[in-house]
Amino acid sequence: MSMDLLIEKIREKNNPSVAGLDPKLEYIPEFIKQASVERYGRTFAAAADAILTFNKELIDAICDIVPAVKPQCAYYEMYSWEGVRALHETIAYAHEKGMYVITDGKRNDIGSTMEAYAAGHLGKTDLFGDPASAFASDALTVNAYLGTDGIAPLTSLIQNNGKAIFALVKTSNPSSGELQDRHLEDGTAVYAAMGDMCERWGADSVGKFGYSGVGAVVGATYPEQLAELRLRLPHTFFLVPGYGAQGGGAQGLVGAFDQNGIGAIVNSSRAVMCAYKKENCDEKEYAQAARREVIRMRDDINGAVQNNR
Amino acid sequence: MSMDLLIEKIREKNNPSVAGLDPKLEYIPEFIKQASVERYGRTFAAAADAILTFNKELIDAICDIVPAVKPQCAYYEMYSWEGVRALHETIAYAHEKGMYVITDGKRNDIGSTMEAYAAGHLGKTDLFGDPASAFASDALTVNAYLGTDGIAPLTSLIQNNGKAIFALVKTSNPSSGELQDRHLEDGTAVYAAMGDMCERWGADSVGKFGYSGVGAVVGATYPEQLAELRLRLPHTFFLVPGYGAQGGGAQGLVGAFDQNGIGAIVNSSRAVMCAYKKENCDEKEYAQAARREVIRMRDDINGAVQNNR
C-alpha cells in the first residue's frame, strides 16, 4: 500500500526524478522513423513502431539512473490504437527493466466508469470470468473534479495492491489559476481544497515513509504553492511537472521536499527526449544524450535539495 | 463551426438523445461472447471482437431513431489496446451509418498535451508530414480544471472544422458537490464559475441555433442546477448524463431545454445496452430491445419537453 514502492525506488537510485515519455514523432530521430516507414509505410503502425523503438532505447539508457518513467497517454492516442499498443508495450518494457511506471492519463469519471479505468490502467479486468492485466501500470494521474466517487474505485488497488494515484491539485500551466487559484467562501484556494481532499482520500494508506498512496500533481512553475502545499499536506506525495522545458528550475523545487529530502518526484519529458537536439549531437546518440540529461537533472535537483536542508 | 451539426441531426430525428456505448463484457449477450471466444480464445482480442459485434448490431438497430452515440473510453481501455481498436472501429461504423459521435474521454491536460488529444480524437495527426485521422470523432468530453490553456488547442477545430467539446460543469454523480457545489468568495458556485468559462470559450463559435461549439456536461440527477445553468449559460449546449440507470427522470430534464425545445442532448447507456435484460427477452433480441428502449426514451423526453413549453 501507499507510495512506498515508488519512494524505495527513488532511494535506491538516489534520484527523485521521473522521465516523461511523450514521444511525438517530431521528437524521434530521423533514422528511427525511416526504418519504421520502410517496414510499414507512412502508417500509424510505422509511428507506433518508431515510438516503441525510441522508448526502448531510452529506457535502456536511463534505467540504472532514473527510478520511473511517465508515459503521457495523449502522445500515444494521437497515433490511434496502434499508438496505444505502443503505450502498452512501453509499460511492459519499463517493468522488465525494473522501472516504476506512472501512466499520465488524468483520467476522471463517475464511480462505475472509474472502476473501468482503475481495472484497465492499474488493476485487472474481468476477461470472460478471469482476471487479466490490460495496461498494468503502477500509478495513474487522475483529475478529481468529480469528488470522492471518482477516487473510491481506486482505493482498494492503493490499499491492497501497492498502486498509487496522483490527483491534479495545482497544475503547471499558465492558466491553471483561473479556477485553481480562486478562493472559496472560507478563504481556501480551490487548489488547497483539492489538496485537502487528497489528504483525506489517502488517510488509510499512509506508508512507512509517512506518505499515502494518493499523491498530488503540483507544478514546478509555482514554487510558492509548492512549498505551501508541502506544509499543508504532510502525507501527500507530489508529482512535480514543469521542471526544464516548462521553465521551472531546481531552486523552485526545493519546497516540494520534506526535511528528510523526500516527498516529491520531479518530471522532465522534452528535455530528456530531445536532449540530442539541445546538445546538437549526432541523432544516433539520442539515448546517450538522454542519459547525460537525466544525470544532470538528478544532480541538479539533489544539489538544490541538499543545499536547502 | 459550433454545435450546428449535432443540433441538425437532433432535429432530423426529432430526438434529443444519445445512446451511450459502454460495452462491458457483462452487458454483452452470451451468444456473442461465445462466438468471439471460439475464434480468439479468452483474450482481449476476443473481448474487442465481442464489443465490436455488439456495438455494430446496436448501431444498426438504432441509427434511424437516435442521432448520436457516445462511446465511453474507459470501457474500451479496460480491454487494453485491442479494446481501443474496437473504439476506433465503433466510431468509424457509427459514422458510416450517419451518426454523430461524442467520444466520452473527459480528457484534460496542459496546452501542448491537449494539442495531442485534440489531434488524436477530433482532428488530424501529423503522420510523417501528412495529416492523418486517428479516432476522428465529432465531439469530445473534456475536464477544464486546468483553465483556458487546456481548451485553446481545441478552439480551431471547433471554429473551423465543425467539431465540438463538452466540458464537465455539474456532473451527475452523488459526490459531485464536494468541489462543484462549493461557493467562491463572490458567492458563485464552482460549477457556475466553470459554466461561465464555457460561455466565454464558446463566444467565437455561436452558430445558427444560438449555441456555441463549447458545450457543458450537466447531470440529469441535479434538475435544479440544470435549469439554473440553462438560464445562466444561454449559448452553452448541454450533454446530460444520468437519465435512466442513474436515476434521473424525464421530468427533471425539462429545465435543460430552451423555449424552442433545444439546448440539450440526453444520454442513456446501460438502459439501452441492457434493455434485453430488463425486458427479460431472448438475448438474441438485444438489438431490437435496445431499439424499443431508445424509442421509449425519445417519446418520454419529447413528451416532457412538449408539456413544459
Side-chain angles (χ1 to χ4, degrees):
Chain A
M1 75 173 212
S2 77
M3 205 59 79
D4 290 355
L5 179 60
L6 176 59
I7 296 172
E8 277 163 2
K9 283 182 182 286
I10 289 171
R11 287 161 64 104
E12 270 168 34
K13 301 274 191 299
N14 185 30
N15 185 354
S17 75
V18 45
L21 296 177
D22 308 359
K24 281 176 88 161
L25 282 185
E26 63 177 278
Y27 298 162
I28 299 181
E30 289 302 324
F31 79 98
I32 293 177
K33 289 189 277 196
Q34 274 170 20
S36 298
V37 167
E38 273 167 32
R39 222 170 139 189
Y40 297 103
R42 302 163 90 80
T43 59
F44 285 123
D49 185 64
I51 287 169
L52 190 59
T53 303
F54 179 72
N55 283 351
K56 281 180 165 180
E57 280 200 48
L58 273 186
I59 289 168
D60 286 342
I62 65 175
C63 65
D64 62 328
I65 306 293
V66 181
V69 288
K70 180 177 76 64
Q72 162 57 256
C73 293
Y75 293 99
Y76 300 84
E77 292 176 22
M78 74 185 287
Y79 301 106
S80 197
W81 61 266
E82 291 96 332
V84 177
R85 186 172 56 188
L87 170 65
H88 176 269
E89 289 170 18
T90 296
I91 294 169
Y93 192 75
H95 278 154
E96 267 177 49
K97 297 290 165 172
M99 300 188 89
Y100 188 92
V101 182
I102 302 168
T103 297
D104 195 357
K106 300 188 173 65
R107 296 304 194 246
N108 64 108
D109 219 296
I110 63 169
S112 51
T113 301
M114 276 310 274
E115 277 174 28
Y117 278 132
H121 289 286
L122 298 180
K124 304 267 190 185
T125 292
D126 180 344
L127 190 61
F128 304 107
D130 293 319
S133 292
F135 291 96
S137 194
D138 301 302
L140 178 69
T141 61
V142 301
N143 181 323
Y145 183 73
L146 288 90
T148 302
D149 301 334
I151 301 301
L154 296 146
T155 310
S156 90
L157 290 166
I158 293 169
Q159 291 177 2
N160 306 321
N161 299 80
K163 305 293 182 175
I165 60 172
F166 293 93
L168 298 187
V169 167
K170 172 64 184 167
T171 57
S172 61
N173 58 308
S175 72
S176 73
E178 287 174 10
L179 179 70
Q180 297 163 28
D181 289 357
R182 293 192 71 174
H183 286 83
L184 298 167
E185 275 183 333
D186 65 3
T188 318
V190 167
Y191 69 79
M194 191 64 99
D196 293 345
M197 292 200 277
C198 292
E199 277 283 308
R200 221 159 45 236
W201 292 324
D204 295 327
S205 66
V206 176
K208 62 184 175 191
F209 301 105
Y211 290 99
S212 83
V214 179
V217 175
V218 187
T221 43
Y222 298 103
E224 264 181 56
Q225 284 90 337
L226 200 50
E228 172 203 337
L229 288 166
R230 176 72 293 139
L231 295 175
R232 186 181 185 103
L233 312 175
H235 309 101
T236 303
F237 198 84
F238 294 165
L239 170 62
V240 184
Y243 170 84
Q246 281 184 57
Q251 206 35 252
L253 292 171
V254 296
F257 294 86
D258 65 22
Q259 71 278 18
N260 300 313
I262 57 176
I265 188 162
V266 179
N267 180 70
S268 177
S269 305
R270 234 175 312 162
V272 175
M273 288 182 297
C274 298
Y276 72 102
K277 293 188 179 191
K278 200 178 167 200
E279 280 194 9
N280 219 358
C281 66
D282 187 324
E283 61 166 27
K284 295 206 168 165
E285 301 236 337
Y286 79 96
Q288 287 311 306
R291 182 182 173 85
R292 289 188 285 272
E293 171 60 19
V294 296
I295 290 171
R296 192 204 61 72
M297 181 184 174
R298 175 196 65 192
D299 296 344
D300 185 36
I301 296 168
N302 280 342
V305 173
Q306 292 301 332
N307 278 339
N308 196 53
R309 282 172 74 181
Chain B
M1 74 173 212
S2 78
M3 205 60 78
D4 290 357
L5 179 60
L6 177 58
I7 297 172
E8 277 163 1
K9 283 184 182 279
I10 288 171
R11 288 160 62 105
E12 271 169 31
K13 301 275 191 299
N14 186 32
N15 185 355
S17 75
V18 46
L21 295 177
D22 308 357
K24 282 176 86 159
L25 282 185
E26 64 176 277
Y27 298 163
I28 299 182
E30 288 303 324
F31 79 99
I32 293 177
K33 290 188 277 196
Q34 275 171 18
S36 298
V37 167
E38 273 166 33
R39 224 171 138 188
Y40 297 103
R42 301 162 90 79
T43 60
F44 284 123
D49 185 65
I51 287 169
L52 190 60
T53 304
F54 178 71
N55 283 351
K56 281 182 164 179
E57 279 200 51
L58 272 186
I59 289 168
D60 286 342
I62 66 176
C63 66
D64 63 327
I65 306 293
V66 181
V69 287
K70 181 177 75 62
Q72 162 58 255
C73 293
Y75 294 99
Y76 300 85
E77 292 175 23
M78 76 186 286
Y79 301 106
S80 195
W81 61 267
E82 292 95 330
V84 177
R85 184 171 60 186
L87 170 64
H88 177 269
E89 290 170 16
T90 296
I91 294 169
Y93 192 77
H95 278 153
E96 267 178 48
K97 297 290 166 171
M99 301 187 91
Y100 188 92
V101 181
I102 302 168
T103 297
D104 196 357
K106 301 187 175 65
R107 296 304 194 245
N108 65 108
D109 219 294
I110 64 169
S112 52
T113 301
M114 275 312 272
E115 278 176 27
Y117 278 133
H121 289 285
L122 298 180
K124 303 267 190 186
T125 292
D126 180 342
L127 189 62
F128 304 106
D130 294 320
S133 292
F135 291 96
S137 195
D138 300 302
L140 178 68
T141 60
V142 301
N143 182 324
Y145 184 73
L146 288 89
T148 301
D149 302 333
I151 301 301
L154 296 146
T155 310
S156 90
L157 290 167
I158 293 169
Q159 291 177 2
N160 306 321
N161 300 79
K163 305 294 184 175
I165 59 172
F166 294 92
L168 299 188
V169 167
K170 172 64 184 168
T171 57
S172 62
N173 57 308
S175 72
S176 73
E178 287 174 10
L179 179 70
Q180 299 164 28
D181 289 358
R182 293 192 71 173
H183 286 83
L184 297 167
E185 275 182 333
D186 66 2
T188 318
V190 167
Y191 69 79
M194 191 63 100
D196 292 346
M197 293 201 276
C198 292
E199 278 283 308
R200 221 160 45 237
W201 292 323
D204 296 327
S205 66
V206 176
K208 63 184 174 189
F209 301 106
Y211 290 99
S212 83
V214 180
V217 175
V218 188
T221 42
Y222 298 103
E224 264 180 56
Q225 284 90 336
L226 199 51
E228 172 203 337
L229 288 166
R230 176 74 291 138
L231 296 174
R232 186 181 184 104
L233 312 174
H235 309 101
T236 304
F237 198 83
F238 294 165
L239 169 62
V240 184
Y243 170 85
Q246 282 184 55
Q251 207 35 249
L253 293 170
V254 296
F257 294 86
D258 65 21
Q259 70 279 17
N260 301 312
I262 58 176
I265 189 162
V266 179
N267 180 71
S268 176
S269 304
R270 233 174 314 162
V272 175
M273 289 183 297
C274 299
Y276 72 102
K277 293 188 178 187
K278 198 175 166 202
E279 278 193 9
N280 219 356
C281 65
D282 188 323
E283 61 167 25
K284 297 209 166 165
E285 302 240 333
Y286 79 95
Q288 287 311 305
R291 181 181 173 83
R292 289 188 285 271
E293 172 61 18
V294 295
I295 291 171
R296 191 204 61 72
M297 181 185 174
R298 176 196 65 193
D299 296 344
D300 185 36
I301 297 168
N302 280 342
V305 174
Q306 293 300 331
N307 278 339
N308 196 52
R309 285 174 71 183

